[in-house]
Short mmCIF file of all heavy atoms in Angstrom, two decimals:
data_model
loop_
_atom_site.label_atom_id
_atom_site.label_comp_id
_atom_site.label_asym_id
_atom_site.label_seq_id
_atom_site.Cartn_x
_atom_site.Cartn_y
_atom_site.Cartn_z
N VAL Q 5 10.86 -1.32 -0.14
CA VAL Q 5 11.35 0.03 0.33
C VAL Q 5 12.80 0.02 0.37
O VAL Q 5 13.47 -1.00 0.77
CB VAL Q 5 10.76 0.29 1.79
CG1 VAL Q 5 11.36 1.56 2.30
CG2 VAL Q 5 9.27 0.40 1.75
N PHE Q 6 13.47 1.07 -0.15
CA PHE Q 6 14.93 1.15 -0.03
C PHE Q 6 15.27 2.64 0.27
O PHE Q 6 14.43 3.49 -0.01
CB PHE Q 6 15.52 0.64 -1.30
CG PHE Q 6 15.40 1.73 -2.50
CD1 PHE Q 6 16.56 2.40 -2.94
CD2 PHE Q 6 14.27 1.94 -3.11
CE1 PHE Q 6 16.47 3.26 -3.97
CE2 PHE Q 6 14.16 2.83 -4.19
CZ PHE Q 6 15.31 3.50 -4.60
N PRO Q 7 16.38 2.94 0.82
CA PRO Q 7 17.35 1.97 1.40
C PRO Q 7 16.78 1.49 2.76
O PRO Q 7 15.96 2.15 3.36
CB PRO Q 7 18.60 2.81 1.60
CG PRO Q 7 18.13 4.23 1.71
CD PRO Q 7 16.92 4.37 0.84
N GLU Q 8 17.26 0.43 3.26
CA GLU Q 8 16.82 -0.07 4.54
C GLU Q 8 17.63 0.61 5.64
O GLU Q 8 18.85 0.45 5.68
CB GLU Q 8 16.96 -1.65 4.61
CG GLU Q 8 15.98 -2.33 3.76
CD GLU Q 8 15.85 -3.76 4.16
OE1 GLU Q 8 16.28 -4.15 5.26
OE2 GLU Q 8 15.23 -4.58 3.41
N THR Q 9 16.96 1.32 6.52
CA THR Q 9 17.56 2.03 7.65
C THR Q 9 16.71 1.84 8.91
O THR Q 9 15.51 1.62 8.75
CB THR Q 9 17.81 3.48 7.38
OG1 THR Q 9 16.47 4.14 7.32
CG2 THR Q 9 18.54 3.75 6.10
N PRO Q 10 17.30 1.97 10.07
CA PRO Q 10 16.44 1.84 11.31
C PRO Q 10 15.32 2.93 11.27
O PRO Q 10 14.31 2.70 11.87
CB PRO Q 10 17.44 2.08 12.40
CG PRO Q 10 18.77 1.66 11.85
CD PRO Q 10 18.69 2.11 10.39
N GLU Q 11 15.57 4.09 10.61
CA GLU Q 11 14.52 5.16 10.67
C GLU Q 11 13.33 4.88 9.91
O GLU Q 11 12.24 5.39 10.16
CB GLU Q 11 15.23 6.44 10.18
CG GLU Q 11 16.25 7.04 11.06
CD GLU Q 11 17.60 6.28 11.10
OE1 GLU Q 11 17.84 5.56 10.05
OE2 GLU Q 11 18.31 6.40 12.00
N ASN Q 12 13.35 3.95 8.91
CA ASN Q 12 12.20 3.72 8.06
C ASN Q 12 11.50 2.35 8.43
O ASN Q 12 10.78 1.82 7.66
CB ASN Q 12 12.45 3.81 6.62
CG ASN Q 12 13.42 2.76 6.06
OD1 ASN Q 12 13.66 1.78 6.71
ND2 ASN Q 12 14.00 3.03 4.91
N GLU Q 13 11.76 1.87 9.63
CA GLU Q 13 11.09 0.66 10.04
C GLU Q 13 9.56 0.73 10.02
O GLU Q 13 8.92 -0.12 9.54
CB GLU Q 13 11.55 0.17 11.47
CG GLU Q 13 10.78 -1.00 12.03
CD GLU Q 13 11.08 -2.28 11.23
OE1 GLU Q 13 12.02 -2.37 10.51
OE2 GLU Q 13 10.27 -3.20 11.29
N GLY Q 14 9.02 1.87 10.48
CA GLY Q 14 7.61 2.03 10.44
C GLY Q 14 7.06 2.13 9.03
O GLY Q 14 5.98 1.55 8.74
N TYR Q 15 7.84 2.72 8.17
CA TYR Q 15 7.42 2.84 6.78
C TYR Q 15 7.38 1.44 6.10
O TYR Q 15 6.48 1.09 5.38
CB TYR Q 15 8.31 3.72 6.02
CG TYR Q 15 7.76 4.24 4.74
CD1 TYR Q 15 6.80 5.22 4.75
CD2 TYR Q 15 8.24 3.81 3.50
CE1 TYR Q 15 6.21 5.73 3.57
CE2 TYR Q 15 7.70 4.31 2.34
CZ TYR Q 15 6.69 5.21 2.34
OH TYR Q 15 6.16 5.71 1.18
N ARG Q 16 8.35 0.59 6.46
CA ARG Q 16 8.38 -0.76 5.93
C ARG Q 16 7.19 -1.54 6.42
O ARG Q 16 6.62 -2.35 5.63
CB ARG Q 16 9.75 -1.43 6.23
CG ARG Q 16 10.90 -0.86 5.45
CD ARG Q 16 12.09 -1.85 5.43
NE ARG Q 16 12.52 -2.22 6.76
CZ ARG Q 16 13.38 -1.55 7.46
NH1 ARG Q 16 13.90 -0.35 7.02
NH2 ARG Q 16 13.81 -1.96 8.72
N LEU Q 17 6.80 -1.34 7.64
CA LEU Q 17 5.68 -2.08 8.11
C LEU Q 17 4.38 -1.66 7.42
O LEU Q 17 3.56 -2.43 7.13
CB LEU Q 17 5.46 -1.77 9.64
CG LEU Q 17 6.46 -2.44 10.62
CD1 LEU Q 17 6.32 -1.88 11.99
CD2 LEU Q 17 6.32 -3.98 10.64
N PHE Q 18 4.26 -0.34 7.14
CA PHE Q 18 3.18 0.19 6.34
C PHE Q 18 3.15 -0.44 4.97
O PHE Q 18 2.06 -0.91 4.46
CB PHE Q 18 3.25 1.69 6.20
CG PHE Q 18 2.39 2.28 5.14
CD1 PHE Q 18 1.00 2.16 5.16
CD2 PHE Q 18 2.91 2.99 4.11
CE1 PHE Q 18 0.23 2.68 4.17
CE2 PHE Q 18 2.12 3.52 3.16
CZ PHE Q 18 0.72 3.41 3.17
N VAL Q 19 4.26 -0.55 4.28
CA VAL Q 19 4.30 -1.14 2.96
C VAL Q 19 4.05 -2.64 3.00
O VAL Q 19 3.35 -3.19 2.13
CB VAL Q 19 5.74 -0.85 2.37
CG1 VAL Q 19 5.84 -1.58 0.99
CG2 VAL Q 19 5.88 0.66 2.06
N THR Q 20 4.52 -3.32 4.04
CA THR Q 20 4.13 -4.73 4.15
C THR Q 20 2.68 -4.94 4.32
O THR Q 20 2.05 -5.85 3.70
CB THR Q 20 4.86 -5.28 5.48
OG1 THR Q 20 6.27 -5.19 5.34
CG2 THR Q 20 4.44 -6.73 5.67
N TRP Q 21 2.04 -4.00 5.01
CA TRP Q 21 0.48 -4.08 5.08
C TRP Q 21 -0.13 -3.82 3.78
O TRP Q 21 -1.06 -4.60 3.34
CB TRP Q 21 0.05 -2.98 6.10
CG TRP Q 21 -1.44 -2.72 6.14
CD1 TRP Q 21 -2.38 -3.56 6.77
CD2 TRP Q 21 -2.20 -1.75 5.48
NE1 TRP Q 21 -3.60 -3.12 6.58
CE2 TRP Q 21 -3.54 -1.97 5.81
CE3 TRP Q 21 -1.85 -0.68 4.71
CZ2 TRP Q 21 -4.59 -1.13 5.27
CZ3 TRP Q 21 -2.90 0.18 4.14
CH2 TRP Q 21 -4.17 -0.06 4.50
N GLN Q 22 0.40 -2.82 3.04
CA GLN Q 22 -0.13 -2.63 1.65
C GLN Q 22 0.03 -3.87 0.75
O GLN Q 22 -0.87 -4.19 -0.01
CB GLN Q 22 0.59 -1.43 1.01
CG GLN Q 22 0.10 -0.12 1.33
CD GLN Q 22 0.73 1.01 0.42
OE1 GLN Q 22 1.77 0.80 -0.20
NE2 GLN Q 22 0.12 2.12 0.37
N ASN Q 23 1.15 -4.47 0.89
CA ASN Q 23 1.51 -5.58 0.02
C ASN Q 23 0.63 -6.79 0.24
O ASN Q 23 0.50 -7.69 -0.64
CB ASN Q 23 2.95 -6.00 0.17
CG ASN Q 23 3.96 -5.05 -0.48
OD1 ASN Q 23 3.55 -4.28 -1.28
ND2 ASN Q 23 5.19 -5.09 -0.04
N GLU Q 24 -0.09 -6.85 1.34
CA GLU Q 24 -0.97 -7.96 1.63
C GLU Q 24 -2.37 -7.77 1.04
O GLU Q 24 -3.21 -8.69 1.02
CB GLU Q 24 -1.07 -8.17 3.12
CG GLU Q 24 0.21 -8.60 3.83
CD GLU Q 24 0.16 -8.63 5.31
OE1 GLU Q 24 -0.85 -8.08 5.88
OE2 GLU Q 24 1.09 -9.05 5.94
N ILE Q 25 -2.62 -6.60 0.49
CA ILE Q 25 -3.91 -6.19 -0.04
C ILE Q 25 -3.87 -6.36 -1.55
O ILE Q 25 -3.20 -5.55 -2.24
CB ILE Q 25 -4.33 -4.74 0.41
CG1 ILE Q 25 -4.41 -4.60 1.89
CG2 ILE Q 25 -5.60 -4.36 -0.24
CD1 ILE Q 25 -4.48 -3.23 2.38
N LEU Q 26 -4.57 -7.36 -2.03
CA LEU Q 26 -4.42 -7.68 -3.47
C LEU Q 26 -5.72 -7.54 -4.25
O LEU Q 26 -5.71 -7.00 -5.37
CB LEU Q 26 -3.84 -9.06 -3.68
CG LEU Q 26 -2.43 -9.34 -3.03
CD1 LEU Q 26 -2.07 -10.78 -3.28
CD2 LEU Q 26 -1.43 -8.44 -3.72
N THR Q 27 -6.78 -8.11 -3.80
CA THR Q 27 -8.05 -8.18 -4.57
C THR Q 27 -8.85 -6.86 -4.45
O THR Q 27 -8.66 -6.13 -3.55
CB THR Q 27 -8.91 -9.38 -4.09
OG1 THR Q 27 -9.43 -9.04 -2.72
CG2 THR Q 27 -8.09 -10.61 -4.03
N PRO Q 28 -9.77 -6.66 -5.39
CA PRO Q 28 -10.76 -5.56 -5.21
C PRO Q 28 -11.42 -5.54 -3.87
O PRO Q 28 -11.70 -4.44 -3.31
CB PRO Q 28 -11.67 -5.70 -6.44
CG PRO Q 28 -10.93 -6.48 -7.43
CD PRO Q 28 -10.04 -7.40 -6.66
N GLU Q 29 -11.86 -6.73 -3.40
CA GLU Q 29 -12.56 -6.73 -2.15
C GLU Q 29 -11.61 -6.38 -0.98
O GLU Q 29 -12.03 -5.64 0.00
CB GLU Q 29 -13.04 -8.13 -1.95
CG GLU Q 29 -14.18 -8.58 -2.89
CD GLU Q 29 -13.65 -8.80 -4.34
OE1 GLU Q 29 -12.49 -9.12 -4.49
OE2 GLU Q 29 -14.53 -8.68 -5.22
N ASP Q 30 -10.37 -6.80 -1.05
CA ASP Q 30 -9.37 -6.35 -0.04
C ASP Q 30 -9.21 -4.85 0.03
O ASP Q 30 -9.15 -4.23 1.09
CB ASP Q 30 -8.03 -6.97 -0.33
CG ASP Q 30 -7.93 -8.50 -0.07
OD1 ASP Q 30 -8.84 -9.02 0.67
OD2 ASP Q 30 -7.08 -9.16 -0.59
N HIS Q 31 -9.07 -4.24 -1.17
CA HIS Q 31 -8.92 -2.81 -1.20
C HIS Q 31 -10.13 -2.09 -0.68
O HIS Q 31 -9.96 -1.07 0.03
CB HIS Q 31 -8.63 -2.42 -2.69
CG HIS Q 31 -7.23 -2.70 -3.20
ND1 HIS Q 31 -6.95 -3.90 -3.77
CD2 HIS Q 31 -6.08 -1.97 -3.14
CE1 HIS Q 31 -5.64 -3.92 -4.02
NE2 HIS Q 31 -5.14 -2.81 -3.73
N ARG Q 32 -11.25 -2.59 -1.04
CA ARG Q 32 -12.56 -1.92 -0.55
C ARG Q 32 -12.67 -1.96 0.94
O ARG Q 32 -12.94 -1.00 1.58
CB ARG Q 32 -13.76 -2.64 -1.24
CG ARG Q 32 -15.06 -1.90 -1.00
CD ARG Q 32 -16.19 -2.58 -1.56
NE ARG Q 32 -16.45 -3.86 -0.81
CZ ARG Q 32 -16.44 -5.07 -1.37
NH1 ARG Q 32 -16.17 -5.21 -2.66
NH2 ARG Q 32 -16.66 -6.12 -0.61
N ARG Q 33 -12.37 -3.17 1.51
CA ARG Q 33 -12.51 -3.31 2.97
C ARG Q 33 -11.51 -2.52 3.83
O ARG Q 33 -11.74 -2.05 4.88
CB ARG Q 33 -12.41 -4.84 3.36
CG ARG Q 33 -13.60 -5.63 3.02
CD ARG Q 33 -13.47 -6.97 3.71
NE ARG Q 33 -12.31 -7.77 3.25
CZ ARG Q 33 -12.41 -8.64 2.20
NH1 ARG Q 33 -13.59 -8.86 1.67
NH2 ARG Q 33 -11.32 -9.30 1.89
N ASN Q 34 -10.35 -2.31 3.23
CA ASN Q 34 -9.23 -1.75 3.99
C ASN Q 34 -9.07 -0.19 3.63
O ASN Q 34 -8.16 0.42 4.17
CB ASN Q 34 -7.92 -2.44 3.78
CG ASN Q 34 -7.93 -3.81 4.41
OD1 ASN Q 34 -7.69 -3.86 5.61
ND2 ASN Q 34 -8.13 -4.84 3.62
N ARG Q 35 -9.88 0.35 2.71
CA ARG Q 35 -9.55 1.70 2.21
C ARG Q 35 -9.62 2.76 3.26
O ARG Q 35 -8.99 3.85 3.13
CB ARG Q 35 -10.48 2.00 1.12
CG ARG Q 35 -11.96 2.24 1.44
CD ARG Q 35 -12.79 2.33 0.17
NE ARG Q 35 -14.20 2.63 0.40
CZ ARG Q 35 -15.11 1.72 0.70
NH1 ARG Q 35 -14.79 0.47 0.94
NH2 ARG Q 35 -16.36 2.10 0.87
N PHE Q 36 -10.42 2.59 4.40
CA PHE Q 36 -10.50 3.68 5.40
C PHE Q 36 -9.50 3.52 6.49
O PHE Q 36 -9.36 4.39 7.29
CB PHE Q 36 -11.91 3.65 6.01
CG PHE Q 36 -12.97 4.05 5.08
CD1 PHE Q 36 -14.04 3.18 4.79
CD2 PHE Q 36 -12.96 5.28 4.47
CE1 PHE Q 36 -15.10 3.55 3.92
CE2 PHE Q 36 -13.99 5.64 3.56
CZ PHE Q 36 -14.99 4.80 3.31
N ILE Q 37 -8.65 2.43 6.42
CA ILE Q 37 -7.57 2.31 7.43
C ILE Q 37 -6.43 3.22 7.01
O ILE Q 37 -5.90 3.99 7.83
CB ILE Q 37 -7.11 0.83 7.51
CG1 ILE Q 37 -8.22 -0.07 8.05
CG2 ILE Q 37 -5.85 0.76 8.45
CD1 ILE Q 37 -7.93 -1.51 8.04
N GLU Q 38 -6.00 3.11 5.76
CA GLU Q 38 -4.88 3.90 5.23
C GLU Q 38 -4.95 3.69 3.71
O GLU Q 38 -5.72 2.87 3.20
CB GLU Q 38 -3.56 3.43 5.83
CG GLU Q 38 -2.30 4.06 5.36
CD GLU Q 38 -2.38 5.59 5.47
OE1 GLU Q 38 -2.97 6.24 4.67
OE2 GLU Q 38 -1.69 6.04 6.46
N SER Q 39 -4.22 4.47 3.00
CA SER Q 39 -4.16 4.26 1.49
C SER Q 39 -3.67 2.91 1.20
O SER Q 39 -2.54 2.53 1.57
CB SER Q 39 -3.27 5.25 0.85
OG SER Q 39 -3.24 5.07 -0.56
N PRO Q 40 -4.42 2.06 0.57
CA PRO Q 40 -4.08 0.61 0.32
C PRO Q 40 -3.14 0.42 -0.81
O PRO Q 40 -2.74 -0.75 -1.07
CB PRO Q 40 -5.41 -0.07 0.05
CG PRO Q 40 -6.24 0.96 -0.56
CD PRO Q 40 -5.80 2.27 0.06
N ILE Q 41 -2.76 1.43 -1.57
CA ILE Q 41 -1.89 1.31 -2.72
C ILE Q 41 -0.84 2.38 -2.75
O ILE Q 41 -1.03 3.48 -2.22
CB ILE Q 41 -2.70 1.38 -4.05
CG1 ILE Q 41 -3.62 2.59 -4.11
CG2 ILE Q 41 -3.43 0.12 -4.31
CD1 ILE Q 41 -4.38 2.75 -5.38
N ALA Q 42 0.35 2.09 -3.29
CA ALA Q 42 1.46 3.02 -3.45
C ALA Q 42 1.21 3.86 -4.73
O ALA Q 42 1.11 3.30 -5.84
CB ALA Q 42 2.74 2.30 -3.47
N HIS Q 43 1.13 5.16 -4.55
CA HIS Q 43 0.80 5.99 -5.68
C HIS Q 43 1.75 5.78 -6.90
O HIS Q 43 1.25 5.61 -8.00
CB HIS Q 43 0.90 7.51 -5.23
CG HIS Q 43 0.36 8.48 -6.14
ND1 HIS Q 43 0.45 9.82 -5.91
CD2 HIS Q 43 -0.29 8.30 -7.32
CE1 HIS Q 43 -0.14 10.42 -6.94
NE2 HIS Q 43 -0.61 9.61 -7.82
N PRO Q 44 3.07 5.72 -6.70
CA PRO Q 44 3.89 5.53 -7.95
C PRO Q 44 3.94 4.13 -8.50
O PRO Q 44 4.58 3.84 -9.46
CB PRO Q 44 5.33 5.92 -7.40
CG PRO Q 44 5.28 5.62 -5.91
CD PRO Q 44 3.90 5.97 -5.48
N SER Q 45 3.07 3.23 -7.90
CA SER Q 45 2.96 1.91 -8.45
C SER Q 45 1.77 1.65 -9.34
O SER Q 45 1.63 0.59 -9.85
CB SER Q 45 2.97 0.81 -7.34
OG SER Q 45 1.66 0.72 -6.75
N VAL Q 46 0.93 2.70 -9.50
CA VAL Q 46 -0.37 2.44 -10.12
C VAL Q 46 -0.34 2.68 -11.62
O VAL Q 46 0.45 3.46 -12.12
CB VAL Q 46 -1.46 3.31 -9.52
CG1 VAL Q 46 -1.55 3.18 -8.02
CG2 VAL Q 46 -1.28 4.76 -9.85
N MET Q 47 -1.25 1.98 -12.29
CA MET Q 47 -1.62 2.20 -13.70
C MET Q 47 -3.09 2.17 -13.80
O MET Q 47 -3.73 1.30 -13.23
CB MET Q 47 -1.02 1.15 -14.61
CG MET Q 47 -1.34 1.38 -16.13
SD MET Q 47 -0.75 0.15 -17.24
CE MET Q 47 1.00 0.50 -17.16
N PHE Q 48 -3.65 3.21 -14.43
CA PHE Q 48 -5.18 3.26 -14.52
C PHE Q 48 -5.56 3.67 -15.92
O PHE Q 48 -4.81 4.24 -16.72
CB PHE Q 48 -5.73 4.18 -13.48
CG PHE Q 48 -5.17 5.58 -13.42
CD1 PHE Q 48 -5.71 6.61 -14.25
CD2 PHE Q 48 -4.18 5.94 -12.57
CE1 PHE Q 48 -5.16 7.88 -14.26
CE2 PHE Q 48 -3.68 7.23 -12.52
CZ PHE Q 48 -4.21 8.21 -13.39
N ARG Q 49 -6.82 3.39 -16.18
CA ARG Q 49 -7.41 3.76 -17.49
C ARG Q 49 -7.61 5.34 -17.55
O ARG Q 49 -8.11 5.86 -16.68
CB ARG Q 49 -8.70 3.00 -17.72
CG ARG Q 49 -8.59 1.53 -17.66
CD ARG Q 49 -9.96 0.85 -17.92
NE ARG Q 49 -9.89 -0.57 -17.58
CZ ARG Q 49 -9.39 -1.53 -18.31
NH1 ARG Q 49 -8.96 -1.24 -19.52
NH2 ARG Q 49 -9.36 -2.77 -17.85
N ARG Q 50 -7.26 5.87 -18.66
CA ARG Q 50 -7.36 7.29 -18.88
C ARG Q 50 -8.83 7.76 -18.75
O ARG Q 50 -9.09 8.87 -18.27
CB ARG Q 50 -6.83 7.67 -20.31
CG ARG Q 50 -7.01 9.13 -20.62
CD ARG Q 50 -6.03 10.00 -19.80
NE ARG Q 50 -6.04 11.37 -20.20
CZ ARG Q 50 -7.00 12.29 -19.83
NH1 ARG Q 50 -8.02 11.83 -19.11
NH2 ARG Q 50 -6.94 13.53 -20.19
#
């Protein structure tokens, strides 16, 4: 997350949570907590 400011501390915590979710099983288990992936980071099959 950039830039780093005191105002986006909560957002950085959210991204830290996302960054810990890596495997398909992790994504499946955590999907109802919050969006487990950053939209502009994805690549998917057409």
